[in-house]
Amino acid sequence: MPIRLLSSEVASQIAAGEVIERPASVVKELLENALDAGAHSITITIEEAGKKLIEVADDGSGIPSNELELAVARHATSKLARSADLFSISTLGFRGEALASIGSISRMTITSRVQTEQEGARLKVEGGTTGPLTKVGRTVGTTARVEDLFYNVPARLKFLKSDVTERRAIDLLVTRYALAYADRRFKLSDGKNTVLQTTGDGDRRAILAALYGVDVAKQMLEIQSEEEGSGLTGFISPTSLTRSNRKEITFFINGRWVHDVSLSTALLQAYHTLLMVGRYPLTAVFLEIPPEEVDVNVHPAKAEVRFRNQDKVFSFVQRSARKTLLAYSPVPNVAPSLWGTTRTIPSEPPRHTGLDWAIGHDEELTVRSEQLTVNSQQSIALDNSPTENRQSKIENRIPLLRLIGQIGATYLVAEGPDGLYLIDQHAAHERVLFEKLMAQHAMKNIPSQSLLTPVAVTLPPHSAHLLMTQLPILQHFGFDVEEFGPNTFQVRAMPALFMGSDPSFALRALVEDFEEDESPLQNEVEAKLAARVCKRMAVKAGQALSNEEQRALLHDLEACDSPRTCPHGRPTMIHLSVDMLERQFGRRGAR
Ligand code: ADP
Ligand code: MG
């Protein structure tokens, strides 16, 4: 083929590909435009996860009617005049690309009016073709209506994730912006229900509850720090509140949501030694630095930045977070007791027991988590052939143990025929609950018990949405949960096994840590959900147990098919064999 200039249509679709990846990208660009226009109130309407409709209406300054055509043209912006301005950008937009990009891959209608004009103007752009300008009545402000996103680039549509996932991305995005701009009013609705509504009164903690739920929002630590013209505000989680991935570490820099690996690392360093391996904090942190200190023009969707003095910003974030964490003194943690008694013990950061795993570790205990397969038909099986299966089950059993006591309100100490056993009470209880629940499930007979007073639980919008999809599975497990108003559920009964604990814990556990594209097979889903609920319901580390409770736990663990690991594959116990003790004390071998 000879070399040809691309038609403007193709060129703009290519450019659009960089900026608009999914419906949430459209929402982000339109939100940023509204914020740049000084809007106080922003209303977002979504239909079919944004694929059918995304509309963002604001009460900002508006676009003059004679500039409307320019606004939708490529490389047209009112936010930048000279290239030198690129290094002191104080607006969210500056590339002049968003509206043109969106217009080239959807049917877009912009309606706007400025204060100095009596009427508003409207312009339609369909697949990059601009229609005529018409006059319409409107209050001051702008409405951008985007219909049928990607209708003319079907390949893009194929790359989208499920509606649930795309919807969730939008919900999270809007909630995070609402948090960053707590002084503006945001309203997000899906055409039927209001998903999020903020008052614009500046109260960030209230919005935090919309993002993470009330429980979590209450626990989050406020961070506030200032240094040489830079400021850091927002929230970080206490060490007792963690997630299994980094997705909840969010940063805004000068009002812009960015992904910055170095800042995440700075935060993680602040938590150094305070969190267990593989656990991550939740953060919503807002960094304000002089615009000339940061280059925002390094990424087409403006999702990454570069700092002039990287080390300085890094250490500012790290020190501020560390200071906040250390200033926070742990408060007593009331865990729901499963044996009817509730004791409180201050929750502390996880400590190292000083026991060297390499020494205390016995081959026999090598956890076979890779082999561990979950099978909803018959609880846990260790291998696929039936005979081997039984064999390994028996080998995997633990001997009868004699309880010695509890240490650090976290571990049980027991004696077996061959030495000493240290048992992690939380992991062990998780295992016990999980096997009981799965066994009952396999018999299709989960005793369910009605609550005297039904409990209403309100979840953040994205979690509520997710829970809706899981309601039928919950029923199988003996939960009687009903939708009860927007984002609110009523728990009327739950598995008898969990009676006495807080039902809202169970519901939250079901939606916590949900991986975006987790779509395992049906029977795996059930086992996964069960494991998740059992983890939440299990007795915690730091909870003192009575002698009877300790004994009951040991007894139940002995009865398990796979007593040596928790349902997530971590060990429940460490075995110090007589042989090993003798070697360690120099009674044998070394003599
Ligand atoms: P950019 O935001 O990078 O300037 P856009 O394509 O997003 O580029 O928008 C082009 C121009 O249209 C903006 O510079 C601004 O002048 C105008 N504009 C877009 N949206 C709005 C809005 N909601 N309110 C007022 N002006 C807007
Ligand atoms: Mg813009």
Side-chain angles (χ1 to χ4, degrees):
M1 261 200 329
I3 300 177
R4 270 174 304 191
L5 276 175
L6 291 175
S7 72
S8 70
E9 191 198 340
V10 176
S12 56
Q13 279 192 11
I14 291 174
E18 290 194 317
V19 187
I20 308 298
E21 204 190 326
R22 59 197 299 192
S25 337
V26 174
V27 179
K28 173 173 180 282
E29 293 296 337
L30 297 181
L31 273 187
E32 290 191 348
N33 280 347
L35 290 165
D36 279 344
H40 289 290
S41 176
I42 303 173
T43 306
I44 305 123
T45 312
I46 301 295
E47 277 174 34
E48 286 177 23
K51 288 190 281 192
K52 182 157 175 253
L53 172 76
I54 297 170
E55 186 183 88
V56 176
D58 68 54
D59 60 356
S61 55
I63 307 169
S65 54
N66 61 353
E67 288 181 17
L68 206 50
E69 272 170 3
L70 210 50
V72 302
R74 269 177 81 197
H75 309 305
T77 178
S78 58
K79 301 169 192 174
L80 197 67
R82 294 159 296 135
S83 66
D85 295 347
L86 264 177
F87 299 96
S88 58
I89 287 171
S90 55
T91 50
L92 296 169
F94 58 87
R95 297 170 58 96
E97 243 173 17
L99 291 186
S101 292
I102 298 168
S104 72
I105 49 171
S106 71
R107 301 182 223 274
M108 177 177 80
T109 313
I110 310 280
T111 312
S112 194
R113 192 195 128 193
V114 291
Q115 187 70 59
T116 49
E117 291 180 53
Q118 294 311 305
E119 269 183 318
R122 171 172 293 164
L123 194 65
K124 280 194 185 184
V125 184
E126 196 168 317
T129 310
T130 308
L133 194 75
T134 51
K135 294 269 168 201
V136 289
R138 208 211 115 99
T139 51
V140 175
T142 305
T143 302
R145 190 177 166 87
V146 177
E147 287 164 290
D148 307 324
L149 183 64
F150 299 133
Y151 81 96
N152 55 349
V153 253
R156 283 252 144 205
L157 272 180
K158 288 202 197 105
F159 276 98
L160 295 186
K161 311 261 170 70
S162 72
D163 275 11
V164 173
T165 302
E166 296 297 340
R167 229 324 264 282
R168 189 172 136 84
I170 295 173
D171 290 357
L172 287 174
L173 178 103
V174 175
T175 315
R176 293 217 160 97
Y177 269 88
L179 189 63
Y181 294 85
D183 57 342
R184 324 282 179 102
R185 272 187 313 198
F186 286 76
K187 182 174 170 185
L188 170 65
S189 79
D190 62 7
K192 284 176 279 170
N193 298 307
T194 300
V195 181
L196 175 81
Q197 187 153 25
T198 67
T199 57
D201 67 357
D203 180 2
R204 273 187 175 158
R205 208 176 276 269
I207 306 169
L208 203 59
L211 193 56
Y212 294 129
V214 180
D215 287 354
V216 171
K218 269 196 210 144
Q219 294 175 56
M220 295 286 278
L221 310 177
E222 193 156 357
I223 188 168
Q224 194 157 26
S225 193
E226 251 187 78
E227 208 170 88
E228 294 172 43
S230 299
L232 195 68
T233 56
F235 301 91
I236 62 176
S237 59
T239 54
S240 53
L241 190 67
T242 59
R243 291 285 191 262
S244 59
N245 58 54
R246 295 164 198 254
K247 280 186 201 153
E248 300 295 348
I249 302 181
T250 50
F251 277 100
F252 276 75
I253 299 173
N254 292 350
R256 189 192 303 281
W257 185 7
V258 295
H259 302 277
D260 190 281
V261 179
S262 76
L263 289 191
S264 304
T265 310
L267 260 183
L268 288 175
Q269 282 197 1
Y271 282 85
H272 185 59
T273 71
L274 300 177
L275 295 187
M276 299 236 263
V277 178
R279 301 302 295 179
Y280 300 93
L282 293 77
T283 73
V285 176
F286 308 98
L287 178 65
E288 296 290 334
I289 56 176
E292 59 278 8
E293 293 284 314
V294 52
D295 185 357
V296 291
N297 187 26
V298 294
H299 187 273
K302 302 163 289 181
E304 287 169 18
V305 296
R306 208 174 288 145
F307 298 104
R308 182 189 285 188
N309 190 340
Q310 164 96 32
D311 293 347
K312 192 171 138 197
V313 179
F314 186 96
S315 89
F316 175 50
V317 170
Q318 196 233 318
R319 270 180 291 119
S320 309
R322 186 79 181 176
K323 212 164 53 192
T324 305
L325 281 173
L326 296 183
Y328 152 78
S329 46
V331 290
N333 174 14
V334 187
S337 167
L338 291 145
W339 287 279
T341 48
T342 305
R343 266 158 247 245
T344 60
I345 287 255
S347 72
E348 281 170 43
R351 294 147 301 174
H352 287 286
T353 54
L355 209 156
D356 187 349
W357 176 254
I359 300 175
H361 192 211
D362 176 335
E363 285 77 20
E364 199 198 332
L365 247 185
T366 314
V367 177
R368 305 181 214 169
S369 54
E370 332 77 60
Q371 295 174 23
L372 206 73
T373 54
V374 178
N375 178 328
S376 75
Q377 290 304 304
Q378 30 145 261
S379 71
I380 293 276
L382 270 166
D383 218 331
N384 16 25
S385 99
T387 43
E388 253 177 47
N389 198 351
R390 176 156 319 142
Q391 190 63 28
S392 53
K393 259 188 187 173
I394 291 164
E395 274 172 17
N396 201 40
R397 292 270 171 130
I398 50 171
L400 293 184
L401 300 175
R402 183 175 70 86
L403 177 72
I404 298 172
Q406 190 186 23
I407 50 174
T410 301
Y411 305 104
L412 302 187
V413 187
E415 188 195 2
D418 182 28
L420 181 72
Y421 288 80
L422 286 173
I423 294 143
D424 179 317
Q425 66 188 40
H426 170 70
H429 195 218
E430 241 184 290
R431 161 58 61 191
V432 167
L433 288 177
F434 179 72
E435 288 204 9
K436 282 187 179 171
L437 189 64
M438 291 309 281
Q440 292 172 349
H441 180 58
M443 310 278 293
K444 302 223 179 317
N445 175 28
I446 297 196
S448 171
Q449 199 164 327
S450 304
L451 302 172
L452 283 179
T453 26
V455 175
V457 183
T458 304
L459 295 173
H462 49 275
S463 302
H465 199 65
L466 212 88
L467 190 63
M468 281 299 293
T469 63
Q470 293 167 346
L471 284 184
I473 301 181
L474 288 188
Q475 215 115 54
H476 291 173
F477 277 105
F479 282 98
D480 181 1
V481 180
E482 259 185 13
E483 212 188 353
F484 187 67
N487 304 327
T488 302
F489 297 84
Q490 195 178 47
V491 187
R492 296 213 292 224
M494 64 178 201
L497 199 57
F498 299 141
M499 236 24 215
S501 6
D502 187 343
S504 68
F505 271 88
L507 278 207
R508 296 218 162 86
L510 292 167
V511 287
E512 186 209 0
D513 280 358
F514 188 83
E515 292 300 324
E516 266 205 1
D517 296 299
E518 208 174 60
S519 53
L521 305 170
Q522 184 59 26
N523 58 358
E524 270 180 34
V525 172
E526 303 200 336
K528 272 198 170 153
L529 289 182
R532 219 178 278 177
V533 177
C534 291
K535 183 178 171 58
R536 267 300 181 103
M537 294 314 202
V539 38
K540 303 285 181 301
Q543 195 173 339
L545 305 177
S546 72
N547 274 335
E548 302 84 84
E549 289 166 345
Q550 297 173 27
R551 229 170 257 124
L553 180 54
L554 264 196
H555 182 79
D556 284 348
L557 189 65
E558 284 163 1
C560 284
D561 284 333
S562 307
R564 291 168 191 274
T565 53
C566 83
H568 300 92
R570 284 186 295 276
T572 54
M573 58 178 70
I574 294 175
H575 176 203
L576 308 175
S577 68
V578 172
D579 188 53
M580 200 223 86
L581 290 172
E582 288 190 334
R583 269 188 276 124
Q584 290 295 314
F585 283 114
R587 289 174 171 276
R588 242 215 280 168
R591 261 188 297 186

